[in-house]
Every structure is written in structure tokens, then in C-alpha cells.
Amino acid sequence: MLETLDAAAVRRWCASGLTALRAHQGEIDDLNVYPVPDGDTGTNLVLTFTSAQQALAMDLGTLPDDGHTPHGHALRLMARGALLGARGNSGVILSQILRGLADTLAAVPAVRGRQLADALADATTAAYAAVARPVEGTLLSVVAAAAHAARRADSDDLRAVARAAAEAAAHALARTPEQLPELARAGVVDAGGRGLCLLLDALVEVITGESPGQPASAPPTRRAPVTAVRESGSDAYAYEVQYLLDATDEAVNRLRAELDALGDSLAIVGDGAGTWNVHVHVNDIGAAVEAGVVAGRPHRISVTRFADQTAPAPGPQVALPDGRAAVVVATGAGIAELFAAEGAVVVPANPSTGELLDAIRATGAARVVVLPNDPNTQSVASAAAKEAHGLGIKVSVVPTRSPVQALAALAVRDPKRRFEDDVIAMAEAAGACRYAEVCHAAREALTVAGPARPGDVLALVEGEVHLIGQDLVDTCTAVVDRMLGGGGELVTLLCGADAPAGLADRVRAHVEGAWPFVEVQAYEGGQPHYPLLVGVE
């Protein structure tokens, strides 16, 4: 049993935590409340923690040269490795939890119970700061409960505090269905929270030498229907404004009060060295930015219009004369070819922070726009952008949620425009492109369009199930009709790897007959899971 957490224990925790995540990877992947076949939280956590362990393995026996303790150095290596290897929202949040632990414990001579409690509190703060709109009933609730219990233990006994944190996390995980109706209807707990419980159990085992009892994760029985709800923008405020800010603590305190009066969802977090990440939902963009100018020096300003779920970002293409480039995430060979033809650097689907950062650096450009094309990759792209900023590369992320939006954004680039103006033009083009996905339901679910059963054809518009059908072609044409009913001049069709022969031709023929003044462009996208992606501009 350990009285303090040393570097060797940190390394053992990393190894045993990764083993636990791998053992439960499939279980966590299955904790997916949506009917579409895209559950990958377990996989993302494993890949993220694998990167953390690799960072430790590459630095075996190295003594810190920054004044930090050996255990602090090991935690910093883990946190850095996790950040560069982070995949998906869950991976990014986990990397921030590790960063919070490392920041607090790096210079602490001996890690006992109270020090661990303080570190968990800071880890919770870092985790919440990593999410623009924190939602309870998720990994965030689980880490917060662990931190609260550790503080409540009020003890220098490392074993007692670690056990208290792990037990509270397990109880918080069991309560997640009470906080999120989607989880309750599905009969599951939060996937990211389940992963964190495994890591805390591994920490207890390393500290005590005893294997804690594993909490039941979720009944592996038949799932009840679940409502597929996706996050959207605020109803009261139309824009999300974000920027980095160099300012004093006093100036930031005044800024908080001013921004709080302008909008909602305000979050301002600092790195402890005078740089702050500012996030707020407003209607008056100019006032939010001007408040930052008064407080200090804002930079990397981005604006998202919630109606479109896109944000301004810089220009495109490798080796443009003015030093701009674009990095785009692609989910299929055909889609990758389309982006490459537009001069973009293409990164395969579900990239890590490090992979995106490598692609950004490989462009050789001083200003880069990143198009993630998937909500689950947006936080990874933001983390890569922050890392690139430290290397002197200006990177902005346009949070495109579909490849068709990225095609629309890339089509309007103009290197003759001022960089910031080109950013706005790309964001507006992406926002003007409505998108839909057609797939087969992977599980039973209750959606806003009615009950869905495995094998049903689902048509999702802007991430929400709008149509449920039995015939693929009929559902595809119906969703295009629904989208064109709201206006449109150009329809883009991307056929997936499993699309039947002639699908695009049949949809095109239908549009030409029903909407004679609408242009149709069809491509072989090669994306998995979705036989057809649709864009309407």
C-alpha cells in the first residue's frame, strides 16, 4: 500500500488504466443512445490513453529539468500525450482532467490525500472549461462527484481519499440516467463517465494493492427506446463568440460582468500565465469583441452562428501565395479526393489532436483553416488549433458538421480577400448549406419522427431524425424534397461505400422531374455507415 503517489505509481496507474479501458472498450462503445451506428467513446478513450502511455514510455527514467517532481513530470507527460492523442469529445475532456491533475501535483513534494483532493478539484475545473456548454449526466458530473467526495473526506490518507473518489464516481455514474432522459430511456449510463470510473478504480488498485468492486455499468438487457437529441445553439442568442485574451485578472473580472450582461453560456478560463479563453453566447458580436479589446489583447477570434452551427475561420489550400492553407477531415476515399482537388490537406476520419497538428504543420502555412466535418471532431480540432498557436501558426476552426458544408466553404475561398474576410465568407457559405444523412438504424430508438427499429432507413437533417422509411431510395428522395421545400438552388449528393448501384442517378432523376430549376451534383464519397449525404444550398 502506498502512503504517497510517486512516479512509479503514476506509471503503473497509466498501464493498469489502459488495460481496464481496453477490457471494457466494446462495452463503452455500446453505451450509445443514438440509433445511428457511430458509438465510439470506448475506442476514443483507449486511443487517447494509449497516447498517454506512449508519452511515458518514450521518457523512461528521464529526470525533470523544470523544477517539477518526478511524479509531477510523469503526470505532465501523461497529460501531454493524452492531449496530442485525444480523439473525440471524450478524449479531449479526459486529456484536460489529466492536465488538471498534473498542473496541481507537478510541484507538490509528496502527494497524499489532501493533495489528491485538490488535484481532482482542479481536474474538474479543467474538464468543465473544455466544454462550451457543459451538460450534467455526463463525464463532467462523474469527475465533479469524485472531486467533491475527495474534498469531503478531509484526510491526508491517500488510500481513503482515492477510495472515496472512486466510490462517489460510481454512484454519480449510476445517477447519470436521472440527469439525462436519453440515458434513462436507453437503459444505459454515460459512456465517458464509465471510462473515468474504470480509471479511478485502477488508481485505487495501484494505491491500495486491492482490486475494488466493479460498479455495474448498465443493464446489458434490451434497450428501451431513446430520443435522439443533439446539441444546438441557444434560442435566445444567435451567436457564439470565442477568443483568446491576454489580460490581467482584474481586467478579466470586469470582462466577466460585462459579457454576462450581454448574453449567456459565459465561460472564461485561464492558463495561469495571463492568457484566457473567452466563450459567450450573444446577439451583439461587436460588443462582445469590443469588451475583449478594452480588457486586453484578444486574438484568434471566432464567431459561430447557431442557426448553421458553423464558425468563421481562415483561408485554404497548401502553398497559396499569401501563406494560407486548409486541413480537412475526410471519411471516405471519394470525399478525400474531392478535398484534395480543392487544394486541401486531407486527414482521415476520427483524427487525434497530434495528427491534426502534424497536418497543420505540414502545410507550411502561417494561417490555416481546419474543417472537422463531424461534431465529435470539433473539440479535437480546437485542441490542435491551440497547440498550433503556441508554434506561431494562426489556426481557426470552422465547425463544419458534414463534408458537404466543407465543400461549400472551400468553393468560396479567395486569396485576394483579406484573410479575416475570407474566413467570414467561408463560414457563411458553410452555414448556408443545409445537410442531411441517410443511414440504417443500428438499434431500436424513439425519435422525433417516431419509433425506429433496427434496419429502418433514417433520414437525419442537421443531426435530427426527420424521416423513417423502409425503402432507401424513397427515403432519400423524400428527404431531398423536404429540404428543397425550404428553398435551394444546388443539391450535392455524396454516395457512401455501401450505397446500391444507381442510387445517385435515381435521386437525380427525381430532382430533375420535381424541381426542374435545381442543379444536382453527385459524387462517389465512399463514406461508411451513410449510403447518402445530401447538401442543399
Side-chain angles (χ1 to χ4, degrees):
M1 293 187 291
L2 299 179
E3 298 294 333
T4 63
L5 189 70
D6 57 18
V10 170
R11 294 180 183 279
R12 292 200 303 275
W13 174 46
C14 188
S16 61
L18 180 57
T19 298
L21 288 174
R22 283 173 173 163
H24 294 269
Q25 179 176 341
E27 169 204 325
I28 298 173
D29 279 342
D30 286 341
L31 297 177
N32 176 33
V33 299
Y34 299 108
V36 296
D38 61 358
D40 59 359
T41 300
T43 300
N44 287 340
L45 289 175
V46 166
L47 292 172
T48 300
F49 222 67
T50 297
S51 183
Q53 188 186 51
Q54 289 172 344
L56 277 177
M58 292 172 62
D59 202 70
L60 276 174
T62 300
L63 293 176
D65 57 3
D66 52 7
H68 294 143
T69 59
H71 62 260
H73 182 61
L75 285 167
R76 283 195 177 279
L77 289 173
M78 277 184 67
R80 177 69 176 170
L83 175 63
L84 294 179
R87 296 176 191 263
N89 294 329
S90 57
V92 170
I93 294 173
L94 176 59
S95 75
Q96 295 306 292
I97 290 174
L98 292 175
R99 195 208 82 191
L101 293 173
D103 286 350
T104 302
L105 299 177
V108 173
V111 181
R112 294 187 172 86
R114 285 187 172 84
Q115 288 75 32
L116 178 60
D118 290 342
L120 285 170
D122 288 345
T124 299
T125 300
Y128 273 85
V131 180
R133 293 182 294 278
V135 176
E136 298 304 323
T138 64
L139 190 160
L140 298 176
S141 302
V142 177
V143 70
H148 182 68
R151 279 274 176 85
R152 195 170 58 243
D154 192 23
S155 172
D156 280 329
D157 188 330
L158 181 63
R159 293 161 293 180
V161 172
R163 283 196 182 106
E167 290 172 2
H171 291 138
L173 178 67
R175 290 195 302 271
T176 56
E178 301 172 14
Q179 297 170 291
L180 279 180
E182 298 95 323
L183 297 176
R185 296 190 186 101
V188 298
V189 294
D190 177 70
R194 171 60 172 148
L196 181 63
C197 284
L198 291 170
L199 294 178
L200 290 174
D201 286 343
L203 180 61
V204 170
E205 186 171 359
V206 166
I207 292 172
T208 66
E210 302 171 359
S211 179
Q214 292 292 337
S217 60
T221 55
R222 178 177 174 273
R223 291 168 177 260
V226 57
T227 303
V229 177
R230 301 288 180 96
E231 287 187 4
S232 60
S234 169
D235 292 334
Y237 299 98
Y239 298 93
E240 177 186 62
V241 176
Q242 290 181 275
Y243 48 83
L244 294 181
L245 178 70
D246 296 334
T248 64
D249 292 3
E250 183 180 354
V252 169
N253 288 335
R254 293 194 296 267
L255 178 65
R256 278 197 179 94
E258 188 167 351
L259 292 182
D260 188 53
L262 286 175
D264 65 5
S265 296
L266 175 63
I268 304 179
V269 295
D271 64 355
T275 299
W276 306 80
N277 191 314
V278 179
H279 168 277
V280 67
H281 298 178
V282 296
N283 288 323
D284 191 339
I285 300 170
V289 175
E290 184 179 351
V293 173
V294 172
R297 185 180 73 87
H299 47 100
R300 283 185 53 215
I301 301 170
S302 69
V303 179
T304 300
R305 185 171 61 188
F306 282 123
D308 309 315
Q309 287 294 294
T310 55
Q317 195 169 0
V318 181
L320 277 183
D322 68 344
R324 307 183 197 182
V327 173
V328 189
V329 179
T331 55
I335 294 175
E337 291 177 4
L338 290 172
F339 290 145
E342 292 290 334
V345 171
V346 179
V347 179
N350 196 29
S352 67
T353 305
E355 288 169 347
L356 274 179
L357 181 60
D358 288 344
I360 291 168
R361 295 175 66 179
T363 66
R367 291 171 290 184
V368 181
V369 61
V370 177
L371 304 167
N373 298 334
D374 177 6
N376 201 38
T377 304
Q378 289 179 20
S379 56
V380 174
S382 297
K386 184 176 181 180
E387 290 294 306
H389 176 74
L391 300 173
I393 306 172
K394 184 176 183 180
V395 179
S396 292
V397 179
V398 174
T400 48
R401 294 179 169 241
S402 172
V404 293
Q405 290 186 319
L407 288 172
L410 292 171
V412 302
R413 292 173 301 164
D414 185 354
K416 296 179 182 178
R417 274 195 294 249
R418 194 170 64 97
F419 181 66
E420 290 74 15
D421 292 339
D422 206 33
V423 166
I424 294 172
M426 291 179 70
E428 289 178 345
C433 179
R434 288 165 288 142
Y435 70 94
E437 306 150 312
V438 181
C439 66
H440 291 90
R443 55 178 52 86
E444 185 174 296
L446 179 62
T447 75
V448 294
R453 295 174 177 80
D456 284 350
V457 181
L458 306 179
L460 295 85
V461 179
E462 308 286 332
E464 191 74 77
V465 177
H466 275 226
L467 295 171
I468 301 175
Q470 301 300 315
D471 181 82
L472 178 62
V473 175
D474 289 347
T475 306
C476 289
T477 56
V479 74
V480 172
D481 285 341
R482 177 165 295 194
M483 295 176 75
L484 286 173
E489 300 175 351
L490 172 64
V491 173
T492 301
L493 306 175
L494 297 178
C495 289
D498 299 327
L503 176 62
D505 291 338
R506 295 180 67 177
V507 176
R508 182 200 297 273
H510 171 81
V511 173
E512 290 174 347
W515 308 89
F517 299 106
V518 173
E519 180 184 354
V520 180
Q521 295 179 346
Y523 307 96
E524 292 297 325
Q527 69 274 4
H529 305 314
Y530 298 94
L532 189 68
L533 299 179
V534 181
V536 173
E537 302 174 54

